[in-house]
Amino acid sequence: MSAKPVLDKVRDVVNEVDFNRFRFWFQLVAFVLFVYGGYLAIDLGSKLPFFSCGYNREGRAGVCYLLPLQHQLGRPLAMLFSMASLAILTGFLTFVLWFIVLNKGWCGFVCPLGTLQDWISALRRRMGIRFSNYTQGQFAQLTKIKFVLLALMILIPLGVGGGIFSRDMSPPFCLICPARMILPMFTGDFSQFTVDFSSKTAIFMTALGISITALFLVGSFVKKRFFCFFCPMSALHYLISKPALLKLKKDGSKCTRCGDCYAVCDMEIKEIADDVKTTDIMTDDCTLCLKCVASCPESGALKATFAGIPIFVSTEAGFIKRMNKGCQHGK
Amino acid sequence: MKDLARYCLGGMLALLLIGNVTAQTGLDEHSAHASSDVVRPRPPENATPEERRAFYQKRAAERVKAGGGGDPVAALARTAPGNATLDTAPVKRTQDKSTPAKPEEPARASGRPAGMGMAMRGGGPLWLSDSPPSRGDGAARGGMGGMMGMGGMAMGGERGGAPSKRLWLRAGSDPQKSGFAREDGEAINETLIVRPQGPIEGEALPPPVDGKKNLLFDMPVQGYYRVYASSRKLQGEVLNVSVAKAEISNFGHGGDEEERAQALVAPRVLESAPIEIVREKAPDEKTFFQLKSGDEQAFVVLQKGLPLQGARVRFVSHEGWSKEAVSDEQGRVNFQIIRDYFPPWDDFKKRFKASYLVIAEANAAEQGMFKDMPYSSVRYQTTLSGNYYPSPNDYRSYAWGLGIGLLIVLFCGTAVYLYRRRRLKPFREVRFDER
């Protein structure tokens, strides 16, 4: 038996995989790893490109890069512009090295906060409650928020280091990130569910953090991947996504614009269906969950590539198989 | 928002008041308990001055005969080494809260022990501090405050270079008011530093130069740096041996992980030290550990690296509150760090760095020669200083956190429900007349 038929068979198996089930188990394993891995002495460092929250002190298997980044940027300016800033550069390079492996696939497959949103959505679906959509006008406005948050996340620590803002504002994004409150909860740590009354700034920041967490819970229940629209990590990912190895490609000549990909997209990215010219179709909101590839009925119209090698391609057979399975599940 | 902030502040003040009242009540109860335990014999009220003098001389002689301790509480404690872990024992209050005076300093070096029973030099026990007397302690300084040092002290050093540390040798049992230790020509002094990757027996630390009074050293690698300032001096036939110790932790977020792991398990004891106190680490203690008010902290008294039973140990808080215990057979004593930081709420700082001082003493019937002079007994004294911070329980509120969260969940949930309901279009049947 030659190698080519074997390879083709493997490709067929992958392309016809029950994608939702595969993704569910992948996300579950990643969630357990990054929320409880610390108990097994797993430590993947502090430059991870997703919300493995550093405030989950006992269970974390690594730390989200945004936490050390904000701490480093919050150093006194004289120190920031000295040789000590080399640590920021090396930290950023390590983060980039992690990031380029999966690109925004870290959001779609690994991020514990993203997984949690998917689980809350699944709960809503089981309860028979419909989800909400943004209008295109709302979408166009909301999608900018994450870049604003990213800018604030960089500027505020610089202001703290420069003495403009109180130290109680640092690290600004972590103080308002729902992951800070929700992920430690899974290891029995509820200490983040408090309002800090030590100063006016601390009161404001901690109360804001709790308010956003409450919004996160309600929002995730009615809107798929509610928080990912506003995530500054997602914005940072997009800015450095060019050299990433995992890519989402589209062959416009094979697309019939049926809209299936748009219908399953948690982030409501319209370009995935409408744009038939761009080959590198990943946008700033995309979480690279690859549900669009799995739902595409046109062979080769959408595909995920790793270092240029197709690893998951839309096929008619795969589409039919998954549809039939979906129908069976529907029964 | 303004109203919310006002309510928040109102609630906070109420909590603070309750906290204050609770703390004061607790302390007063302890104080009353302690005073009822210690009943000092007094001369008759109608006694003449001569009779009073004779009475006090007799009482002092009896006390010396009983074991040399000057303090009845210490004497009581000595009789019950099993009570070394004084979790439920009364806190001894050495000052009345209504008076601004600090606990009295032990008597000057006149040979008569006072307080804990011994004063190595004029001014009280020697201890190493990371701040000079004029500066005192308080809010953490510098951007790195709370991350490194003696339980979270800021470091110095050239930018981009190895961090360095300054320590001052101070004398007195009050962490705030102790002054510089005075030079004593009759004593033999020695200062050692034990570095994480240096010789375990330590290296001599150069004395201060250029008229400065601080000890300065670099900390190029991660780990615990221990400084021992020892002094020996003969007073009558008693050799006083004093060891002031400071332990400085130097850890960074980056750096060599193996170096950090080695430092965490490295021994923190100097076997050649005549006496020393070791702060016992909690099993789950991390590199950036900070002691907080309300925490339990154990200390181990060691003599030549071995546990010393029966040593009198006193813990002195930042405001001068103190408590005494006696080390058990493992040389261990346990103290709860009291909350003694009660500023007006506008001045409250959650990073307020308070200093504590632990003083341990023991006597031994050892004979020998010191500077060609014989001695018949040795008094050992050692100190260890460190820092503690306000407990998050003092300024964090679960009730408010959960309340705000729940309110917003209810509000947003209701808003979404009503919005969706409003947009529902009732079923309307449309009939076409096909004719």
Side-chain angles (χ1 to χ4, degrees):
Chain A
M1 192 190 268
S2 67
K4 203 178 171 196
V6 174
L7 211 61
D8 287 344
K9 210 170 179 180
V10 171
R11 273 194 190 129
D12 287 345
V13 169
V14 171
N15 293 338
E16 292 167 23
V17 73
D18 184 350
F19 184 75
N20 282 346
R21 179 169 290 183
F22 165 77
R23 186 161 169 264
F24 170 79
W25 284 106
F26 196 100
Q27 285 183 297
L28 181 65
V29 170
F31 186 89
V32 172
L33 174 66
F34 289 104
V35 175
Y36 298 102
Y39 292 113
L40 301 172
I42 299 170
D43 184 5
L44 297 176
S46 57
K47 310 291 183 292
L48 299 180
F50 54 90
F51 290 160
S52 177
C53 186
Y55 288 84
N56 176 20
R57 291 187 182 87
E58 300 299 324
R60 70 190 186 202
V63 177
C64 163
Y65 176 59
L66 298 188
L67 177 63
L69 175 68
Q70 290 170 91
H71 273 305
Q72 287 171 334
L73 293 176
R75 290 172 174 171
L77 294 182
M79 188 191 278
L80 194 66
F81 295 107
S82 70
M83 290 297 280
S85 60
L86 276 177
I88 301 176
L89 286 178
T90 54
F92 185 72
L93 281 176
T94 315
F95 163 74
V96 170
L97 287 176
W98 272 105
F99 168 74
I100 60 171
V101 178
L102 282 189
N103 199 351
K104 291 188 116 187
W106 291 110
C107 307
F109 285 83
V110 182
C111 178
L113 203 65
T115 301
L116 212 57
Q117 291 176 84
D118 288 343
W119 290 348
I120 295 173
S121 288
L123 178 70
R124 172 193 51 74
R125 200 166 50 241
R126 283 182 180 251
M127 290 169 74
I129 299 169
R130 68 181 173 86
F131 61 88
S132 297
N133 280 330
Y134 295 131
T135 63
Q136 284 304 304
Q138 288 168 336
F139 183 91
Q141 295 298 319
L142 290 173
T143 194
K144 293 172 191 162
I145 291 179
K146 60 178 165 295
F147 291 102
V148 175
L149 286 176
L150 177 65
L152 289 175
M153 192 193 79
I154 292 167
L155 292 174
I156 292 175
L158 290 174
V160 172
I164 300 169
F165 299 121
S166 158
R167 281 175 67 196
D168 288 336
M169 269 188 110
S170 187
F173 178 67
C174 293
L175 289 176
I176 62 165
C177 177
R180 176 175 70 91
M181 269 151 275
I182 292 175
L183 295 182
M185 237 169 52
F186 283 88
T187 56
D189 177 5
F190 292 83
S191 62
Q192 300 299 326
F193 269 96
T194 53
V195 173
D196 183 341
F197 283 96
S198 62
S199 70
K200 290 182 179 101
T201 312
I203 293 172
F204 176 76
M205 293 303 284
T206 47
L208 184 64
I210 284 172
S211 307
I212 289 174
T213 303
L215 277 175
F216 167 87
L217 294 172
V218 177
S220 306
F221 193 74
V222 293
K223 173 81 188 74
K224 290 188 270 185
R225 289 279 179 150
F226 168 77
F227 188 73
C228 299
F229 276 100
F230 316 114
C231 178
M233 178 71 96
S234 174
L236 185 59
H237 281 181
Y238 183 65
L239 296 177
I240 57 170
S241 63
K242 261 287 192 260
L245 298 175
L246 185 66
K247 298 264 189 187
L248 178 62
K249 300 278 187 184
K250 180 172 179 179
D251 184 346
S253 64
K254 293 175 181 171
C255 177
T256 59
R257 298 180 67 175
C258 66
D260 276 6
C261 47
Y262 172 61
V264 298
C265 181
D266 290 345
M267 302 300 292
E268 301 176 35
I269 301 166
K270 211 156 188 294
E271 287 86 346
I272 189 73
D274 288 353
D275 190 346
V276 289
K277 289 179 185 165
T278 312
T279 51
D280 201 350
I281 199 73
M282 194 191 82
T283 65
D284 55 339
D285 291 306
C286 181
T287 60
L288 224 54
C289 65
L290 305 184
K291 281 164 80 173
C292 50
V293 181
S295 68
C296 178
E298 306 300 332
S299 296
L302 282 170
K303 62 186 170 191
T305 63
F306 190 83
I309 303 162
I311 54 167
F312 184 46
V313 183
S314 62
T315 60
E316 190 179 344
F319 171 76
I320 293 169
K321 203 171 174 183
R322 282 187 282 269
M323 281 297 112
N324 287 335
K325 208 142 215 172
C327 290
Q328 283 165 15
H329 288 318
K331 285 176 188 174
Chain B
M1 182 56 78
K2 201 174 171 183
D3 285 345
L4 180 66
R6 197 182 301 146
Y7 287 138
C8 291
L9 285 171
M12 181 179 68
L13 285 170
L15 285 172
L16 181 66
L17 277 171
I18 293 166
N20 259 320
V21 170
T22 312
Q24 290 219 17
T25 310
L27 287 168
D28 289 340
E29 281 172 3
H30 290 322
S31 171
H33 193 168
S35 60
S36 65
D37 280 352
V38 184
V39 181
R40 290 167 184 266
R42 295 204 162 273
E45 280 186 16
N46 54 356
T48 61
E50 287 77 18
E51 285 171 334
R52 280 176 181 271
R53 196 176 302 120
F55 177 87
Y56 283 122
Q57 281 174 352
K58 187 183 169 194
R59 198 179 76 177
E62 280 172 359
R63 201 162 54 218
V64 171
K65 202 175 169 184
D71 191 327
V73 172
L76 280 172
R78 274 197 302 277
T79 59
N83 289 340
T85 304
L86 294 177
D87 299 341
T88 55
V91 172
K92 184 196 169 222
R93 191 177 165 191
T94 52
Q95 71 170 95
D96 189 335
K97 196 147 180 83
S98 61
T99 58
K102 293 288 179 217
E104 59 184 348
E105 294 289 319
R108 296 300 171 91
S110 60
R112 177 179 173 272
M116 281 290 286
M118 184 169 73
M120 282 300 299
R121 300 187 187 191
L126 298 176
W127 59 286
L128 286 163
S129 167
D130 72 338
S131 55
S134 54
R135 185 190 285 170
D137 295 315
R141 295 178 298 275
M144 302 293 278
M147 295 184 75
M148 294 190 286
M150 286 161 65
M153 290 177 180
M155 299 293 175
E158 293 289 321
R159 287 207 172 92
S164 62
K165 186 75 185 170
R166 287 177 199 276
L167 294 174
W168 286 263
L169 190 61
R170 295 168 68 175
S173 58
D174 187 327
Q176 287 193 74
K177 287 197 170 174
S178 298
F180 285 121
R182 290 201 295 270
E183 291 295 325
D184 191 340
E186 294 175 21
I188 293 181
N189 301 316
E190 185 185 24
T191 308
L192 280 177
I193 181 167
V194 186
R195 302 175 198 272
Q197 292 178 3
I200 53 170
E201 67 276 11
E203 308 159 74
L205 189 63
V209 290
D210 300 334
K212 291 181 178 168
K213 294 194 171 185
N214 57 64
L215 298 161
L216 176 65
F217 54 93
D218 287 335
M219 297 188 293
V221 297
Q222 295 187 90
Y224 294 100
Y225 290 74
R226 286 172 287 130
V227 177
Y228 298 81
S230 59
S231 168
R232 290 164 191 268
K233 186 184 176 185
L234 199 62
Q235 285 184 316
E237 290 190 349
V238 178
L239 178 65
N240 286 319
V241 178
S242 169
V243 179
K245 177 187 168 186
E247 184 179 64
I248 300 100
S249 63
N250 174 39
F251 292 102
H253 282 292
D256 190 341
E257 286 185 15
E258 195 179 330
E259 180 184 281
R260 192 185 317 157
Q262 281 178 357
L264 285 172
V265 295
R268 292 157 56 223
V269 175
L270 180 64
E271 289 189 2
S272 60
I275 186 168
E276 72 169 308
I277 302 169
V278 178
R279 187 184 69 80
E280 195 173 86
K281 283 167 62 181
D284 57 346
E285 192 174 306
K286 302 278 168 60
T287 46
F288 298 108
F289 169 77
Q290 283 187 344
L291 198 60
K292 308 278 188 191
S293 297
D295 288 353
E296 293 268 343
Q297 179 61 60
F299 298 92
V300 180
V301 185
L302 300 172
Q303 195 166 38
K304 299 277 184 192
L306 297 173
L308 179 62
Q309 184 179 5
R312 303 179 299 281
V313 186
R314 181 162 58 134
F315 179 93
V316 187
S317 77
H318 189 72
E319 291 294 327
W321 299 88
S322 69
K323 182 174 175 178
E324 293 186 8
V326 175
S327 59
D328 62 12
E329 64 275 7
Q330 294 173 332
R332 198 166 178 271
V333 285
N334 202 32
F335 294 106
Q336 184 172 32
I337 315 300
I338 63 161
R339 178 188 175 192
D340 61 352
Y341 175 55
F342 297 99
W345 194 251
D346 285 344
D347 300 334
F348 180 85
K349 289 181 175 60
K350 66 180 169 188
R351 298 181 184 90
F352 182 83
K353 188 187 71 174
S355 298
Y356 69 79
L357 181 60
V358 184
I359 308 161
E361 291 186 351
N363 297 326
E366 295 171 12
Q367 294 177 349
M369 301 286 282
F370 179 78
K371 286 187 176 177
D372 297 330
M373 298 284 283
Y375 61 86
S376 58
S377 66
V378 183
R379 282 182 187 148
Y380 291 102
Q381 184 185 59
T382 181
T383 58
L384 175 71
S385 58
N387 299 124
Y388 61 100
Y389 295 81
S391 166
N393 295 333
D394 293 348
Y395 54 84
R396 284 185 169 267
S397 165
Y398 279 104
W400 277 96
L402 292 171
I404 290 172
L406 202 63
L407 197 71
I408 289 177
V409 165
L410 285 174
F411 178 79
C412 294
T414 312
V416 169
Y417 173 74
L418 292 176
Y419 176 75
R420 285 184 167 194
R421 197 172 161 180
R422 199 162 52 93
R423 283 169 61 92
L424 271 182
K425 288 176 182 160
F427 174 73
R428 205 181 287 167
E429 190 177 3
V430 180
R431 292 190 180 195
F432 294 96
D433 186 356
E434 293 181 352
R435 283 177 298 172

